[in-house]
Amino acid sequence: MARRAVDVPALVESARAGSPRAVARLISLVEDAHPALREVMAALAQHTGRARVVGLTGSPGVGKSTTTTALVSAFRARGARVGVLAVDPSSPFSGGALLGDRVRMQDHALDPEVYIRSMASRGHLGGLSWSTPQAIRVLDAAGCDVVLVETVGVGQSEVEVAGLADTSVVLLAPGMGDGIQAAKAGILEIGDVFVVNKADREGADATVRDLRHMISLGDRTEPGLWRPPVVKTVASTRTGTDEVMAALDKHHAHLEASGDLRRRRERRAADEVESIALASLRSRFGDVAGDVRLGALAARVVDGELDPYAAADALVDELTA
Ligand code: GDP
């Protein structure tokens, strides 16, 4: 596919001025791992670091989209500019259209202070764990006070994406054996706030109890450590949304007071830098010269002349020389 030339300074200026089209175009550049991205990120860097990033995870059907919509309204009521990213880490090669349908969010479609975007990583290195932070950065620089990142599916990749947020909200619903599923997927460890949605259904109180019990078994009882609250909601009627907002605010205040906000963001940046560096190194393996070097080193490993560690060192030395 031919790539259109990109006027990065103009695009960044429009995005900063609040143009939804410019924001959408910048996020498309991220999705495509476009060569102009380097220039985009350089231009955005000084305008980032303001947005609160809230992740929402949970099994399909649990009520993430409905909850996200309710939270968007609640943040809008405070006058905040809101970005929403819906990402599907489990199927990096599809997603687009499906997610587009999921995130229609008609309530907010016409609000110029709300940016809604679904994202799929089109198969480039590092996938969504690489592209999501950059998309967050675009929304942050475009003046979003809050970025809600909604992930689809349950699994390790979802846990990774949850690591990109300042505050991770884990949603469950009564029945569904969600509690056990959550424990299995390692989701208990990542949740800063737990929401038991569909509280209009039977079994909600039991799910809340189970969850509180499981949380109490974790080693989060030392003084000063955050104890994740469990909030009951009926997202479809917006019952409990205020309590979720209060829990988000409380957690944010805790992050700021404890220094964890800074630590989490530094860890997030470290992961991002590392994945860009690794992708950059690996892309050089594909160069003709790199390939020859790698091939030659592999032959020497097979011949027993070199051990694989020494060969890897030699490769890294050559690639970074
Ligand atoms: P997602 O797949 O996790 O994003 O879930 P959705 O937000 O799309 O919700 C799945 C379905 O559950 C939709 O039909 C919602 O209208 C419905 N739903 C969401 N929240 C509630 C709730 O609190 N109670 C009930 N009964 N239904 C809900």
Side-chain angles (χ1 to χ4, degrees):
M1 197 169 45
R3 279 176 158 156
R4 270 190 289 155
V6 183
D7 183 349
V8 171
L11 205 52
V12 167
E13 201 186 309
S14 304
R16 299 250 313 125
S19 153
R21 281 177 61 103
V23 171
R25 177 93 175 99
L26 286 175
I27 295 180
S28 294
L29 297 181
V30 170
E31 270 191 319
D32 294 343
H34 195 281
L37 213 48
R38 180 178 283 263
E39 194 187 341
V40 170
M41 288 301 146
L44 294 183
Q46 61 177 313
H47 305 295
T48 59
R50 278 187 54 253
R52 273 168 74 173
V53 183
V54 176
L56 291 103
T57 63
S59 312
V62 77
K64 291 181 299 298
S65 286
T66 314
T67 301
T68 301
T69 306
L71 290 176
V72 170
S73 299
F75 278 113
R76 287 297 298 126
R78 295 179 176 182
R81 185 181 284 185
V82 186
V84 178
L85 281 176
V87 299
D88 186 352
S90 55
S91 60
F93 301 109
S94 60
L98 192 75
L99 279 169
D101 288 338
R102 287 174 43 81
V103 198
R104 244 180 280 129
M105 290 196 199
Q106 294 296 353
D107 295 14
H108 304 292
L110 297 174
D111 185 341
E113 297 291 308
V114 180
Y115 301 98
I116 297 169
R117 176 63 182 241
S118 55
M119 279 225 323
S121 68
R122 297 189 180 134
H124 55 68
L125 272 171
L128 284 168
S129 58
W130 178 90
S131 55
T132 307
Q134 306 209 34
I136 292 171
R137 194 162 283 141
V138 169
L139 292 167
D140 186 359
C144 288
D145 303 291
V146 185
V147 178
L148 302 173
V149 183
E150 184 192 328
T151 57
V152 184
V154 171
Q156 191 51 40
S157 49
E158 188 191 20
V159 172
E160 281 163 23
V161 172
L164 303 170
D166 298 329
T167 299
S168 290
V169 180
V170 173
L171 283 97
L172 300 104
M176 295 170 73
D178 252 356
I180 295 147
Q181 234 182 308
K184 267 197 203 148
I187 266 174
L188 275 180
E189 282 77 49
I190 60 149
D192 299 305
V193 173
F194 290 88
V195 170
V196 175
N197 188 40
K198 304 199 177 179
D200 52 329
R201 300 217 171 142
E202 210 177 313
D205 289 325
T207 304
V208 169
R209 240 187 349 261
D210 286 354
L211 204 50
R212 290 206 172 119
H213 178 64
M214 280 193 270
I215 292 167
S216 74
L217 295 178
D219 53 357
R220 290 168 142 179
T221 46
E222 295 152 52
L225 278 188
W226 175 253
R227 188 85 184 268
V230 181
V231 183
K232 243 178 13 173
T233 63
V234 183
S236 44
T237 59
R238 307 204 170 174
T239 309
T241 304
D242 290 346
E243 284 77 5
V244 177
M245 289 293 283
L248 294 180
D249 288 342
K250 207 170 160 195
H251 185 248
H252 191 72
H254 166 82
L255 287 176
E256 283 190 322
S258 64
D260 278 353
L261 185 62
R262 176 81 197 180
R263 274 191 289 279
R264 281 188 182 200
R265 288 182 172 183
E266 282 186 8
R267 199 182 54 211
R268 200 195 301 169
D271 287 348
E272 202 183 342
V273 171
E274 186 184 347
S275 76
I276 292 172
L278 287 175
S280 157
L281 266 184
R282 186 168 283 166
S283 71
R284 298 188 212 174
F285 292 176
D287 293 352
V288 176
D291 226 18
V292 169
R293 285 193 207 112
L294 182 55
L297 288 165
R300 291 177 64 198
V301 170
V302 171
D303 289 339
E305 281 175 39
L306 266 185
D307 70 87
Y309 285 94
D313 287 346
L315 183 64
V316 170
D317 285 349
E318 282 190 53
L319 291 176
T320 54

